[in-house]
Amino acid sequence: MTRILILGAGFGGLEVAARLSELLSGGVEATLIDANDAFVFGFSKIDVLRGVRTVEDVRLSYAGLGIPGVEFRQEVITEIDPQHRRVRTDNGYYEADFLVVALGAQYDPAATPGFTEQGYEYYTLDGAKRLHDALPRLDGGNIVISVLGEPYKCPPAPFEGAFLLEDYFAGRGLRDRVTITVTGYMGAPVPVAKEVSEPLLAHLTERGITFVPKRTVCRLDTEGAGAEFAEGGSIPYDLFIGIPVHRVPAVVAVSGLAPDGWIPVQKTNLATRFDGVYAIGDVAAAYTAKAGVFAERAARVVADDITAHLRGTPPPPPYDGAGDCFIEFGRGEVGKVHANFLSGPKPTGELIGPTTALAAEKAEFARSRRRRWFCSLD
């Protein structure tokens, strides 16, 4: 029986498993491995930051995985041999005919001196909870949100955080006592297209939020409470929120899969230079933004490509790099960034909304994935 090994049970790994289950219906031995015991939607961390859901509320236990014919194993991956498609974990060895690497990106807060001592983040559940607990103690001052490295997950997320904080302090009657500034290496909020960045800039201006482009914070002066820019100069802060530097997991870094920092893949089908090995999602240099919706779409292409190999049929249409990312604006409204990276001569995008109807669409997006991947009826 053909053995398919999927490393990582995030958006990409779960969708590869679900799609293979549909297409091959028990004709393969599929194993899904992840070190964690639960899945969390990336945007659920925003709910924890806002205090509308608890950390336990947003965790979906892998014990409730509902993908027929796929075995889940909670194990720590300690070695990947892509040439021979062999994987070692803290519980043994695996060999595969097809290997899909979907291990995501890891955060390196220590890469920015002073950040671990005095910075906050909302890219992890613990970080979102810690920031939520800190906000009531702030009655005014300078809030700085900074992208600390390139690339990073979910390009709209820093601005999403800014909108939500603006809404939060307005709700407390303190809006005129805080300044909110977003900084980053990028020249525009979401550089994929001016049709996204220009309206987003207009919303930021309307809400009194400052965007400082082409400025990357490289160090926090924890005594002087200033964030220093790699390009020169600094910005004072009373609350510093960073999007941490992203890296491939250490086990990927030493495997030979990612010679230049991320795993290079073919645009059409996400195949690596190793026969029978694919990489999807944030761990891959896949020519798109790093976000769950792109990992999910890439996962379908990979599953279809594996199925075509097994059946001896023509390959699927090439990966188009298209997807929709939701962005919270506060005040009960949600926007949607539609982007297409690979279908045309250059990437395209547009910002839709924000509206309350899109808030309902975002909620249904989450429900549909819970129904597809887990034994969930809601």
Side-chain angles (χ1 to χ4, degrees):
M1 182 173 286
T2 301
R3 300 160 300 175
I4 302 176
L5 190 59
I6 306 164
L7 308 183
F11 260 91
L14 287 168
E15 183 57 24
V16 167
R19 183 72 171 163
L20 287 172
S21 176
E22 290 174 341
L23 294 173
L24 300 175
S25 186
V28 298
E29 180 183 292
T31 304
L32 179 62
I33 302 176
D34 198 287
N36 300 297
D37 64 350
F39 168 78
V40 177
F41 289 104
F43 50 70
S44 292
K45 296 159 193 171
I46 290 291
D47 293 337
V48 174
L49 169 59
R50 293 189 299 165
V52 298
R53 300 179 73 190
T54 68
V55 169
E56 284 305 312
D57 285 341
V58 302
R59 297 175 75 255
L60 290 167
S61 172
Y62 289 125
L65 202 65
I67 304 175
V70 175
E71 182 179 4
F72 174 77
R73 297 187 180 179
Q74 185 187 351
E75 299 174 11
V76 177
I77 298 163
T78 58
E79 184 179 344
I80 302 172
D81 176 357
Q83 183 173 357
H84 301 98
R85 296 185 298 278
R86 295 173 183 163
V87 173
R88 181 179 180 180
T89 74
D90 58 354
N91 195 44
Y93 287 90
Y94 296 85
E95 293 186 350
D97 299 292
F98 294 95
L99 176 63
V100 182
V101 182
L103 288 169
Q106 292 187 343
Y107 308 125
D108 186 5
T112 306
F115 183 49
T116 56
E117 293 85 0
Q118 206 167 81
Y120 290 82
E121 52 85 14
Y122 52 89
Y123 267 50
T124 66
L125 282 178
D126 288 344
K129 179 63 167 62
R130 178 171 171 262
L131 179 55
H132 167 76
D133 293 343
L135 289 177
R137 300 193 293 269
L138 185 68
D139 294 328
N142 300 321
I143 301 172
V144 175
I145 303 172
S146 187
V147 179
L148 301 178
E150 179 186 7
Y152 69 99
K153 296 181 185 181
C154 191
F159 308 97
E160 187 173 42
F163 287 130
L164 291 173
L165 288 173
E166 191 276 339
D167 189 34
Y168 169 80
F169 283 101
R172 287 179 59 193
L174 300 173
R175 181 62 187 92
D176 59 345
R177 295 176 61 179
V178 299
T179 65
I180 303 173
T181 304
V182 183
T183 81
Y185 63 85
M186 52 280 192
V190 182
V192 62
K194 66 178 183 179
E195 291 81 5
V196 178
S197 282
E198 287 180 358
L200 194 53
L201 276 171
H203 284 289
L204 291 167
T205 300
E206 180 184 354
R207 303 274 286 271
I209 299 166
T210 301
F211 172 57
V212 180
K214 300 181 179 180
R215 289 292 183 273
T216 307
V217 170
C218 62
R219 177 179 176 272
L220 299 187
D221 180 354
T222 55
E223 294 184 1
E228 300 177 3
F229 293 124
E231 299 81 4
S234 64
I235 183 171
Y237 64 85
D238 295 284
L239 176 67
F240 182 85
I241 303 168
I243 311 303
V245 170
H246 290 28
R247 305 194 190 283
V248 296
V251 70
V252 173
V254 300
S255 70
L257 279 164
D260 298 315
W262 304 97
I263 303 177
V265 294
Q266 295 182 26
K267 281 187 179 182
T268 55
N269 64 355
L270 294 304
T272 73
R273 62 191 179 94
F274 297 97
D275 185 43
V277 180
Y278 301 81
I280 58 174
D282 298 337
V283 76
Y287 315 97
T288 67
K290 293 188 181 299
V293 292
F294 298 108
E296 181 184 76
R297 201 172 186 99
R300 295 172 192 157
V301 173
V302 167
D304 290 355
D305 199 65
I306 291 173
T307 301
H309 277 291
L310 293 177
R311 291 177 175 170
T313 56
Y319 176 47
D320 61 8
D324 296 326
C325 294
F326 294 101
I327 172 172
E328 293 278 349
F329 277 77
R331 304 173 184 177
E333 293 188 327
V334 170
K336 182 169 67 174
V337 176
H338 174 73
N340 190 313
F341 285 89
L342 301 176
S343 294
K346 64 177 183 178
T348 60
E350 64 175 324
L351 176 63
I352 304 166
T355 66
T356 54
L358 284 171
E361 183 179 320
K362 177 184 174 181
E364 176 54 32
F365 173 90
R367 280 193 293 270
S368 67
R369 272 62 181 178
R370 288 198 297 270
R371 290 191 295 264
R372 178 166 175 76
W373 299 331
F374 294 87
C375 299
S376 174
L377 300 178
D378 64 349

